[in-house]
Amino acid sequence: MAGDSKTEKATPKRRRDERKKGNVLMSKDAVAVATLIGSLFMIQIMGGVVVGQVREILIKIFGYIGSGTVGQVPGILGDLFATALLAFLTMAGPFLAVTALLAVGVTFFQTKMLVAGESIRPKFSRISPLQGFKRLFSLRSVIEALKGILKIVILLALIFNYFRGVALSFANFLDMDLSRSCAILFQDIVSLVLQIAVAFTALAFFDYLYQWWDYERQLRMSKQEIKEEYKQTEGDPQVKGKIKQIQRQRAQQRMMQQVPQADVVIRNPTHFAVALRYHEEEDDAPVVLAKGMDELALRIVKVAEESHVSVVEDVPLARALYASVDLGRQIPPELYGPVAEVLVYVLKLDRKVHPDRR
């Protein structure tokens, strides 16, 4: 159906929910390239250390051979094992630490320090043959396979180009001492790895663009999903409208209950009505107890007449009071004069009708 097509961008809530599940934008190739570059950097730094450690091991081995203590096998093996272990920690320790730090750092940089426990929970769908078959022939699997083939082709091409360039120079190693030939070979290997790193960096860049496109595609939502999400977060518009209607009705009921306590109702003949109360002991200025327009204005006037509250017709004053004063608020100073005239008029009228009142 057209309504089910996922053509809309993901909402912020959808992105937050997917992030909680561990579904974030991340390129594994970027992590691999970072560790490769870090490894290349460490190889250049640790080259001298590696040569020195290997030299010490060889010196110790040849020393045992020259001293004639080869028969003391248990002691020799223990000493050689301790030396080899120390050499391994010296050579590999910093190398592994830097590469691990780069891998973790690049991963957290892409995921913005996300640690999602839900992504590592066991799921039966991951071991389901049907789900595995679907993943095998999915677009992502095809793209990953093509990327793997492209990496292999680039790697083989660079290695072939390297050997084709240095094959003739291998014969020159026969006329060099071992240290010189090893140094040249080491520099050639570093140059090869650097070329591989540059090529894989370009691949990682395009892979990141693809991962971004695929991530946004997976997060797309249909219009119906957006509507459902809005209902869940903001509430059903029909229910909210019904609630607001009930709230308005109850507010009007409470307001109408205040009309009998008013001293006067000022009205426009049919459109506006405002009920005012003024008690000198309690109020600094007249207070609006009720107001309404059209049908509600007629109801206010009707309740006022039934409760024997004076109703005065004053078109401009009724409009001004309705527009400028909220319920339960005192009238503004600019309306003191007109309202005072109305209250005085009502008081005089009340004294004529009830002469016994003062």
Side-chain angles (χ1 to χ4, degrees), residues 46 146 149 206 316 345:
M46 300 291 295
L146 292 177
I149 295 174
F206 289 107
Y345 168 77

Side-chain angles (χ1 to χ4, degrees), residues 173-280:
F173 291 163
L174 299 175
D175 299 328
M176 299 182 187
D177 57 20
L178 181 61
S179 60
R180 176 62 178 167
S181 59
C182 288
I184 295 176
L185 185 61
F186 178 78
Q187 291 299 326
D188 289 341
I189 293 175
V190 170
S191 177
L192 174 63
V193 175
L194 181 60
Q195 295 177 26
I196 295 174
V198 172
F200 279 25
T201 300
L203 284 178
F205 173 74
F206 289 107
D207 177 70
Y208 185 85
L209 294 180
Y210 164 73
Q211 296 296 340
W212 174 81
W213 172 83
D214 188 57
Y215 179 73
E216 293 295 328
R217 181 183 64 84
Q218 291 180 6
L219 290 187
R220 284 178 188 168
M221 303 173 65
S222 64
K223 294 181 179 179
Q224 183 62 32
E225 288 176 334
I226 293 178
K227 290 180 180 179
E228 293 297 330
E229 181 185 287
Y230 178 80
K231 289 181 180 180
Q232 294 175 2
T233 56
E234 303 295 335
D236 192 330
Q238 295 181 353
V239 175
K240 291 179 67 177
K242 188 65 176 179
I243 292 175
K244 289 183 178 180
Q245 181 182 357
I246 295 174
Q247 291 175 342
R248 285 195 299 268
Q249 291 176 352
R250 290 181 178 178
Q252 290 179 4
Q253 291 175 358
R254 291 192 298 269
M255 184 181 70
M256 297 304 294
Q257 293 173 358
Q258 299 290 324
V259 173
Q261 303 175 16
D263 294 313
V264 64
V265 172
I266 303 175
R267 64 177 294 189
N268 179 330
T270 57
H271 296 296
F272 298 97
V274 180
L276 296 177
R277 180 201 71 197
Y278 180 60
H279 296 166
E280 295 182 4

